[in-house]
Amino acid sequence: MPSKAASKSSKNKMIHWLYIITMVTGLYLTTKVNYLLFHTLIELFSIIVAATVFIITWNSIKYIKNPYLITVGISFLFIGILDLLHTLAYKGMPIFTDYDYYANQLWIAARSLESCTLLAAFFLLLTNKSIRAGYILSFYSLVTSILIASIFYWKIFPVCFIAGKGLTDFKVYSEYAICTILVACVVLLMKNKGRFANSVYKLLLLSMTYTIISELAFTFYIDNYGILNLVGHYFKLFSFIMVYRAFVVTGIEEPYSLIFRELKQTNENLLKEINSRVQIEIELESEIKERKSVEMALTESEYFFKESQRAAFIGSYKTDFIADRWESSEVLDKILGIDLNYPHTVQGWLDLVHPDDREMMDTYLREEVISQKKHFSKEYRIIRINDGETRWVHGLGEVIYDENGTLLLLIGTIQDITVRIQTHEALRLSEERLRLALQASSMGSFEIDLQTGEGSWNDVEFELLGLKPGDVQSGPELFFQFVHPDDIGFLKSDWEDAVRTGKFDTEFRIVRADGQERWLAGKGRLIYDGGGDGCASRFLGVNYDITERKQVEVALMESEEHLRSLADSIPNLAWWANGDGYIIWYNRRWYEYTGTTPEQMEGWGWQSVHDPDELPKVMERWQASITTEEPFDMTFPLRGADGVFRPFLTRVIPLKNAAGRVQQWFGTNTDVSELEQRVTERTMELAASISHLQSEIHERELAEKKLLEETAERLQAMETLREKEQMLIQQSRQAAMGEMIGNIGHQWRQPLNTLGLYTQRLGAFYGMPNFNKEFLDNSIAKSMEIIKHMSKTIDDFRDYFKPEKEKADFYVIEAIKRTMSLLEGNFLNPKIAIDFVENDNPVINGYQNEFAQVFLNILNNARDAITERETADARIIITIGSENSCAVVTIADNAGGIPDEDINKVFDPYFTTKGPQQGTGIGLFMSKTIIEKNMGGRLTVRNTDTGAEFRIEVGHGSQI
Amino acid sequence: MDLKSNSPPSISILFVEDDEIILNIQSSILAVIFPDAKLYTAINGRLGLELFKAHMPDIVLTDINMPEMCGVQMAENIRSIKPETEIIAITGRSGESSENKKYILRNSEGIMVEFDHLVVKPVVISELCGVIEQCIGEIKQRLS
């Protein structure tokens, strides 16, 4: 493409030059016929150009803002007239026969007029004075008439040419003077390049240069038909061609670049502005859409949660393999959706199982239940017969064999667990979506425990301040560090009020970590404990960035300021009214013209300056406009301070808000001249743009309000989720308790046995020679030792389950050792070596039992992995130390590690690699919650060369 | 209850238990009650098996969870050496299944062995002695 365009333009250039050469040669050939013919043709051309330039300028005068172009355009009519006379009076033309050299005088007159005009026009341009076109026209008519009269009638114009002698001194010096003026014009033109379109500028420059050359040629000639005269006329022709191209071609073909240059610039700016606004609206819209989908998901999960609370039915069955029959309870029939007619055969039972699960069930039954003689326990899907719905069930059963190992019976229960499975899935999704939604809406949230003063933030809150999430301990003190120094005073007092009254709604500036200044909004509320004492325990709030809105507000303020000062400076009368027509502001000119005071004019006071005869009509029209909300446009008289009524064109435009209702009216009263009307229009435009800005602010405020409402709902949803989470912690605590009770049983069985034996030995040895006081004391001492040990064990377990209400400082090593003592015996079979590496003795402020629960969870997982993978020389290394004012505990096993595809999922709720009987999938999820949410620390995992390593990091408490 | 009667000198008992205190007290009690029986004691399954090979006792009393070799593993080896040995398990767990008045125990490696009797911890001496008496009766019956 570029090459094609280039070739086209070079082709155009060639044709262009061909024309010029043809014209120059053609004109030259006419000199062979008659020099007069040549002269007349050239002059005629410049006369036509001059006339055309004038016509174009005159007709587009109301659009041209550049006084230079106006003046030059008008002057060309008169230059043309002088040139016409010059042509007619040229030596040899049979018209003015009384004197041969009128033409030389007329030439000087024309060129002087031209050069002086070009110079004078610059002064008009530089001082920005606009002169009425009529005045210019009259002025030129007068000057031209004087010039013509001084040549033809008074004959006082100095002689320019003397036959046989050539040019007079006057003529030569005049030409030099003209050249000097033109050089000055060239310099001025170059200095004011920016006021002209580039192409016009170039053409004007060329035209002036050619005129200078032409003039210089004319200072030398001695004969009106000589060669220098010829060259001079050629350059005059070239100069006029340039003027022609500057005014005529550009003016007709590209009017915008010449005349509407300034308007075009304004349009482009407007377009950019509109584009950026549209962009903002699109972004807002997509934000709201996203939020809607999250809302839906939350509602869905609520529904499933309620469903799950309905009591679960458990049905029972007994399958006789020999008779190929099974019996089902009434509840089971309901679960399976069958009745008595359903084939109660083994095949019939298999048909109920979901096709996708049949193979799995078959394998499970053959390889695990039958060959290993295990209990039957499996979660699988069935297709309910009566409605064809897929349901999840949990089957439990006992297999009974005869002496020869033949399968006899399978007895057990089936429970419908569809709702439970769906709830787990929905909850997981909903939590993920909530997290994403807060992320997507860029809304930071914070929560402050009013008892301890500690806070927790979501990731966005950190990002708002320009921090990396979790880099530093969150809390109000940290937040205040980032507040703008000018705003910190009122924000702190707002915050104190908020904690007392529960109301927090403020806007303030922050200085982000990267030094950027932003506006934030902060809103929040107190959360009261349910217990009835009505004590506020926490403060929940959100922060979000409102910098853009603030910028628009500033733009609006500036715009309004601008409008007022503009409205004050215009020669028109102008005013603002409320939506109901009550006038709230008049410009200075109004008071000047009417000679009234603001007190007199307030509200409907303006009626006093109206003509009483016209007033009813004005009122009627104005009321109609207020009612219909249509613009008002009417001419009526207003009384001036001098008591004279003058007609004013009154225009009032409604400024509508986002809802489409009129918020304000902007009115102007103008006398009917054209210029003033244009100012009015410009002012109207400005007013409209203000209205636009106002409605944008209104929209933004609406969007913010909506955002806030949705956030409140979301906080509610978060509360609900938190309650669920609390329930899950309880649940996993109970699971741990179950395991602990198993441990207590294990730990007590051995000492109980020993104690029993000591006691029974007394009976067995009674009456024997060695049954003496010493033997008796020894037995009692040994028994008491065991009893004390058992009592201590019970204390340890009781401590573990004691609910902790408040955080307390505790030694990490002590907490771990105590937990380990509860697990005594758990690491004997299979034998697992436990190594302790104590690099430091750190203290944590938190909940010791929850910490122990986390430790226990991780340790149990390590043990399960070692058992499952039958690791040889099994070993768990527990390292306790401090790093960067954090207590750090690592628990590393050598069971081979977590598969790469699972390592990112181990902390997800309901993720488990263990079978459904062993793992709930809650343990590690809860551990992460406890460490990260309740204790503000971090729980991470990585694979080492030999196995998995869990790492707990919690900030130091005060040293005990 | 006359516990001292009917214990022929030919009867020998192997007692295996990993807790040393229990091993000592319980064997001292058994020595008092069965003064005529020959009593061997071992602290784990491996030593128990060695003692068994050396003395071929009639009755084996064994704990189940022990280091080095568990009771089930030891019992399996004993059965292969001398199937008619009366083996009594002393265990914390209740019996896995009891059919035909026999007790099948399974260890973590999946080995399943049938025990003749099962005594649950904490041990009641009279119950344990009753079981031993029963074993002695059966051995005598077999011999006669």
Side-chain angles (χ1 to χ4, degrees):
Chain A
M1 287 304 281
S3 73
K4 206 171 162 189
S7 79
K8 197 177 170 189
S9 93
S10 78
K11 198 174 161 194
N12 277 347
K13 242 179 205 163
M14 229 168 72
I15 292 172
H16 183 75
W17 282 108
L18 217 63
Y19 275 134
I20 289 175
I21 291 164
T22 315
M23 193 175 70
V24 169
T25 346
L27 283 169
Y28 181 75
L29 290 176
T30 61
T31 64
K32 299 292 168 196
V33 181
N34 185 338
Y35 186 81
L36 204 54
L37 175 62
F38 162 80
H39 180 258
T40 311
L41 285 175
I42 283 197
E43 291 295 345
L44 218 52
F45 176 78
S46 60
I47 291 160
I48 292 167
V49 168
T52 318
V53 167
F54 169 75
I55 291 165
I56 294 232
T57 310
W58 189 254
N59 285 306
S60 49
I61 214 150
K62 54 181 118 174
Y63 307 113
I64 302 180
K65 285 199 168 174
N66 191 328
Y68 179 90
L69 295 175
I70 294 176
T71 315
V72 172
I74 292 172
S75 76
F76 263 79
L77 173 68
F78 301 93
I79 294 164
I81 290 171
L82 289 175
D83 277 341
L84 178 65
L85 287 170
H86 162 81
T87 312
L88 295 177
Y90 207 75
K91 190 186 166 204
M93 290 294 272
I95 296 165
F96 304 101
T97 47
D98 56 332
Y99 178 55
D100 269 350
Y101 305 108
Y102 283 135
N104 304 63
Q105 289 172 322
L106 284 162
W107 172 269
I108 291 296
R111 297 288 81 77
S112 305
L113 189 64
E114 186 185 340
S115 56
C116 288
T117 301
L118 288 171
L119 192 65
F122 267 117
F123 287 107
L124 286 178
L125 179 70
L126 293 178
T127 53
N128 257 338
K129 270 196 185 137
S130 58
I131 295 181
R132 293 248 182 125
Y135 291 151
I136 300 175
L137 195 68
S138 318
F139 172 78
Y140 274 96
S141 305
L142 186 70
V143 170
T144 311
S145 307
I146 292 170
L147 283 171
I148 292 170
S150 70
I151 294 168
F152 287 102
Y153 183 71
W154 299 319
K155 297 191 189 296
I156 52 167
F157 200 88
V159 172
C160 291
F161 195 85
I162 298 167
K165 260 178 94 178
L167 299 173
T168 61
D169 288 347
F170 167 75
K171 169 80 163 46
V172 172
Y173 289 119
S174 294
E175 301 279 26
Y176 286 146
I178 289 165
C179 285
T180 316
I181 293 171
L182 286 171
V183 169
C185 289
V186 168
V187 173
L188 283 169
L189 180 67
M190 285 162 86
K191 282 201 171 158
N192 292 287
K193 189 177 172 182
R195 299 288 292 265
F196 298 88
N198 196 30
S199 60
V200 174
Y201 161 78
K202 278 184 186 160
L203 291 167
L204 285 176
L205 197 66
L206 277 176
S207 165
M208 288 176 184
T209 317
Y210 290 155
T211 312
I212 293 169
I213 297 170
S214 149
E215 289 305 303
L216 288 175
F218 283 120
T219 57
F220 300 123
Y221 74 99
I222 39 167
D223 184 354
N224 271 9
Y225 293 87
I227 184 73
L228 280 168
N229 192 293
L230 181 96
V231 170
H233 275 103
Y234 265 131
F235 275 96
K236 189 195 170 193
L237 173 69
F238 295 155
S239 156
F240 270 75
I241 289 173
M242 295 307 140
V243 171
Y244 162 78
R245 285 179 57 196
F247 282 78
V248 181
V249 177
T250 325
I252 291 170
E253 289 183 354
E254 306 167 69
Y256 282 98
S257 62
L258 181 67
I259 299 162
F260 299 116
R261 188 171 137 79
E262 288 163 44
L263 209 56
K264 195 177 155 200
Q265 194 59 43
T266 318
N267 275 349
E268 272 168 14
N269 289 346
L270 200 64
L271 211 64
K272 270 185 211 153
E273 175 86 7
I274 289 171
N275 275 341
S276 71
R277 292 224 179 115
V278 167
Q279 193 56 40
I280 290 168
E281 265 158 40
I282 289 170
E283 276 165 18
L284 264 174
E285 205 170 352
S286 77
E287 210 173 297
I288 287 168
K289 255 190 211 155
E290 209 161 326
R291 237 172 271 137
K292 280 268 177 275
S293 78
V294 171
E295 223 168 78
M296 292 271 291
L298 280 175
T299 323
E300 213 173 288
S301 90
E302 285 299 315
Y303 170 73
F304 282 130
F305 189 68
K306 276 192 195 126
E307 278 294 290
S308 75
Q309 290 182 334
R310 283 197 347 210
F313 283 133
I314 298 178
S316 58
Y317 63 91
K318 179 178 167 194
T319 307
D320 187 341
F321 289 100
I322 309 291
D324 192 19
R325 289 270 326 148
W326 50 281
E327 291 161 25
S328 51
S329 71
E330 217 175 286
V331 180
L332 183 61
D333 284 357
K334 220 180 230 171
I335 291 170
L336 302 175
I338 57 173
D339 53 28
L340 290 172
N341 299 326
Y342 187 82
H344 283 59
T345 59
V346 172
Q347 188 55 44
W349 184 78
L350 283 173
D351 287 344
L352 283 161
V353 178
H354 191 284
D356 293 353
D357 285 354
R358 276 183 202 155
E359 202 188 333
M360 182 271 293
M361 282 296 284
D362 188 44
T363 318
Y364 174 71
L365 273 172
R366 275 192 295 107
E367 292 180 5
E368 293 199 59
V369 179
I370 296 171
S371 72
Q372 296 189 30
K373 295 207 157 81
K374 278 187 177 173
H375 298 287
F376 178 92
S377 173
K378 197 83 196 155
E379 288 182 2
Y380 58 96
R381 285 168 295 176
I382 58 149
I383 296 195
R384 201 153 63 190
I385 294 301
N386 55 355
D387 57 8
E389 221 187 299
T390 303
R391 305 292 291 178
W392 277 94
V393 294
H394 184 198
L396 282 169
E398 201 72 55
V399 191
I400 294 168
Y401 307 88
D402 71 2
E403 298 141 83
N404 308 321
T406 314
L407 206 57
L408 287 180
L409 290 172
L410 178 63
I411 301 169
T413 59
I414 288 180
Q415 182 184 14
D416 191 327
I417 54 164
T418 312
V419 173
R420 193 190 90 202
I421 297 231
Q422 284 168 345
T423 309
H424 286 180
E425 185 58 17
L427 183 61
R428 191 184 65 72
L429 278 175
S430 126
E431 281 169 339
E432 176 68 5
R433 283 183 193 152
L434 173 67
R435 194 180 62 72
L436 287 175
L438 276 171
Q439 203 87 29
S441 66
S442 296
M443 194 168 280
S445 68
F446 60 87
E447 185 181 331
I448 287 158
D449 186 323
L450 295 176
Q451 261 83 54
T452 64
E454 277 171 27
S456 71
W457 297 352
N458 72 348
D459 289 359
V460 178
E461 185 78 7
F462 282 99
E463 282 156 14
L464 280 177
L465 297 180
L467 298 173
K468 270 203 202 125
D471 258 2
V472 275
Q473 202 80 17
S474 55
E477 286 316 308
L478 175 72
F479 191 89
F480 284 132
Q481 285 172 22
F482 287 90
V483 175
H484 194 282
D486 293 350
D487 294 355
I488 185 83
F490 79 77
L491 186 64
K492 273 194 171 159
S493 82
D494 276 4
W495 173 245
E496 276 160 26
D497 287 350
V499 173
R500 209 173 54 245
T501 64
K503 281 185 203 129
F504 188 55
D505 185 347
T506 184
E507 293 179 356
F508 53 89
R509 281 168 297 169
I510 55 159
V511 180
R512 286 162 50 98
D514 56 7
Q516 223 184 332
E517 194 179 307
R518 305 289 292 178
W519 275 94
L520 289 192
K523 311 210 176 200
R525 61 183 162 106
L526 286 172
I527 303 292
Y528 292 88
D529 271 344
D533 53 4
C535 252
S537 69
R538 282 172 301 142
F539 196 95
L540 271 182
V542 293
N543 283 315
Y544 52 95
D545 197 317
I546 53 163
T547 312
E548 271 173 56
R549 192 195 76 201
K550 281 285 173 193
Q551 281 164 352
V552 177
E553 275 176 6
V554 168
L556 174 74
M557 229 167 66
E558 281 169 2
S559 259
E560 273 179 349
E561 200 73 43
H562 185 182
L563 179 73
R564 293 228 160 152
S565 65
L566 187 81
D568 260 333
S569 67
I570 57 171
N572 311 50
L573 318 186
W575 44 267
W576 289 92
N578 284 338
D580 57 6
Y582 186 94
I583 298 185
I584 48 174
W585 181 84
Y586 290 95
N587 72 343
R588 196 182 304 145
R589 180 77 183 111
W590 173 279
Y591 294 117
E592 283 170 10
Y593 175 74
T594 58
T596 54
T597 63
E599 288 73 30
Q600 290 168 334
M601 284 298 114
E602 205 193 318
W604 300 88
W606 51 270
Q607 296 179 0
S608 66
V609 299
H610 274 246
D611 184 342
D613 296 337
E614 300 276 337
L615 188 59
K617 218 162 47 183
V618 174
M619 284 303 288
E620 193 188 322
R621 287 275 306 277
W622 178 218
Q623 289 293 359
S625 274
I626 291 172
T627 315
T628 58
E629 306 196 332
E630 290 294 324
F632 174 91
D633 199 337
M634 186 181 182
T635 304
F636 50 74
L638 289 175
R639 190 179 56 227
D642 54 4
V644 178
F645 281 100
R646 291 180 188 82
F648 278 81
L649 166 65
T650 298
R651 281 191 168 166
V652 188
I653 53 162
L655 308 179
K656 297 187 178 179
N657 62 16
R661 306 296 307 189
V662 173
Q663 206 160 358
Q664 287 188 318
W665 296 90
F666 179 63
T668 55
N669 313 87
T670 317
D671 83 350
V672 208
S673 102
E674 224 178 348
L675 177 77
E676 279 162 20
Q677 193 159 336
R678 279 204 323 114
V679 175
T680 314
E681 275 162 17
R682 176 76 187 99
T683 313
M684 289 285 181
E685 269 171 39
L686 198 62
S689 110
I690 288 201
S691 150
H692 186 101
L693 281 172
Q694 270 178 338
S695 84
E696 185 182 324
I697 291 210
H698 186 75
E699 269 169 47
R700 273 185 175 275
E701 276 169 353
L702 279 182
E704 266 174 33
K705 200 171 155 228
K706 213 165 148 43
L707 194 68
L708 218 65
E709 280 165 11
E710 279 167 13
T711 307
E713 280 168 34
R714 210 180 298 138
L715 285 175
Q716 197 58 49
M718 254 166 67
E719 276 298 289
T720 317
L721 283 174
R722 192 188 299 280
E723 277 165 25
K724 284 181 196 163
E725 197 178 83
Q726 220 50 50
M727 234 174 61
L728 287 174
I729 292 190
Q730 197 53 36
Q731 212 176 319
S732 93
R733 199 76 172 283
Q734 277 165 356
M737 201 185 291
E739 195 157 330
M740 278 295 168
I741 287 168
N743 283 332
I744 297 177
H746 187 86
Q747 289 202 29
W748 270 29
R749 195 153 278 144
Q750 204 75 346
L752 269 178
N753 192 26
T754 316
L755 195 60
L757 288 170
Y758 274 124
T759 314
Q760 292 174 88
R761 191 175 66 169
L762 294 177
F765 280 31
Y766 183 73
M768 293 182 63
N770 52 357
F771 188 89
N772 50 22
K773 171 98 173 82
E774 191 191 339
F775 172 77
L776 209 55
D777 284 348
N778 177 273
S779 293
I780 290 167
K782 289 278 167 53
S783 302
M784 286 318 291
E785 196 182 302
I786 295 168
I787 287 166
K788 275 181 196 155
H789 173 74
M790 289 169 72
S791 167
K792 187 178 169 301
T793 316
I794 272 294
D795 282 344
D796 288 350
F797 280 104
R798 194 193 53 202
D799 282 350
Y800 178 75
F801 287 110
K802 197 160 62 183
E804 286 161 300
K805 289 213 175 89
E806 282 169 18
K807 287 184 177 184
D809 287 341
F810 62 87
Y811 282 110
V812 176
I813 292 179
E814 197 185 298
I816 287 178
K817 288 273 166 77
R818 277 171 73 125
T819 313
M820 290 301 298
S821 75
L822 301 181
L823 294 172
E824 216 172 80
N826 267 20
F827 295 93
L828 293 178
N829 190 21
K831 173 105 180 96
I832 300 169
I834 309 271
D835 292 349
F836 278 98
V837 180
E838 295 171 18
N839 295 328
D840 193 12
N841 189 10
V843 173
I844 289 177
N845 183 270
Y847 305 104
Q848 181 169 350
N849 287 349
E850 291 194 354
F851 181 82
Q853 190 184 341
V854 171
F855 178 74
L856 203 62
N857 251 323
I858 296 171
L859 214 58
N860 279 339
N861 278 346
R863 190 199 58 200
D864 289 347
I866 287 168
T867 311
E868 189 196 310
R869 297 179 187 177
E870 295 170 359
T871 309
D873 194 18
R875 184 170 295 274
I876 296 175
I877 302 169
I878 298 162
T879 315
I880 300 142
S882 291
E883 269 175 42
N884 306 328
S885 77
C886 273
V888 177
V889 178
T890 62
I891 299 131
D893 62 46
N894 62 346
I898 303 164
D900 286 345
E901 67 264 27
D902 292 339
I903 196 154
N904 291 325
K905 292 188 276 186
V906 293
F907 295 115
D908 291 353
Y910 307 115
F911 176 81
T912 178
T913 55
K914 305 172 191 174
Q917 286 76 50
Q918 284 113 15
T920 56
I922 296 175
L924 281 178
F925 168 64
M926 281 307 135
S927 299
K928 200 165 175 76
T929 307
I930 288 168
I931 294 296
E932 301 198 345
K933 287 200 182 157
N934 298 3
M935 301 176 78
R938 275 160 65 79
L939 173 61
T940 52
V941 64
R942 69 184 183 102
N943 278 328
T944 63
D945 294 341
T946 52
E949 183 191 270
F950 282 83
R951 182 182 172 92
I952 307 170
E953 288 170 69
V954 180
H956 270 321
S958 58
Q959 288 297 325
I960 296 171
Chain B
M1 201 190 322
D2 188 2
L3 295 168
K4 292 181 187 175
S5 63
N6 300 327
S7 27
S10 56
I11 291 296
S12 54
I13 300 171
L14 169 63
F15 179 36
V16 189
E17 162 69 57
D18 67 326
D19 186 316
E20 215 173 331
I21 299 171
I22 293 176
L23 185 68
N24 289 338
I25 308 172
Q26 202 167 315
S27 54
S28 71
I29 297 171
L30 288 176
V32 171
I33 295 171
F34 299 100
D36 300 327
K38 187 91 184 109
L39 192 63
Y40 306 99
T41 60
I43 197 84
N44 62 43
R46 190 177 55 74
L47 293 173
L49 187 60
E50 276 171 26
L51 273 180
F52 184 85
K53 284 175 186 164
H55 304 287
M56 291 289 175
D58 306 299
I59 299 167
V60 174
L61 280 171
T62 183
D63 190 15
I64 297 302
N65 285 327
M66 289 182 296
E68 301 212 31
M69 185 185 281
C70 73
V72 175
Q73 176 88 60
M74 185 185 79
E76 191 193 34
N77 286 322
I78 290 172
R79 280 262 182 270
S80 65
I81 297 165
K82 190 180 164 193
E84 70 273 22
T85 314
E86 297 281 341
I87 308 178
I88 303 163
I90 302 173
T91 173
R93 309 183 266 180
S94 37
E96 306 274 298
S97 63
S98 72
E99 284 169 37
N100 310 328
K101 291 181 182 170
K102 299 287 180 189
Y103 303 89
I104 298 168
L105 292 185
R106 201 168 66 86
N107 72 357
S108 58
E109 286 150 38
I111 298 168
M112 292 205 282
V113 175
E114 200 180 83
F115 288 78
D116 300 284
H117 299 278
L118 194 132
V119 175
V120 177
K121 286 182 186 176
V123 172
V124 178
I125 293 294
S126 59
E127 188 190 318
L128 177 67
C129 292
V131 171
I132 296 173
E133 293 271 13
Q134 205 180 322
C135 292
I136 294 171
E138 275 175 35
I139 292 163
K140 277 187 176 165
Q141 209 175 340
R142 250 200 324 268
L143 290 174
S144 62

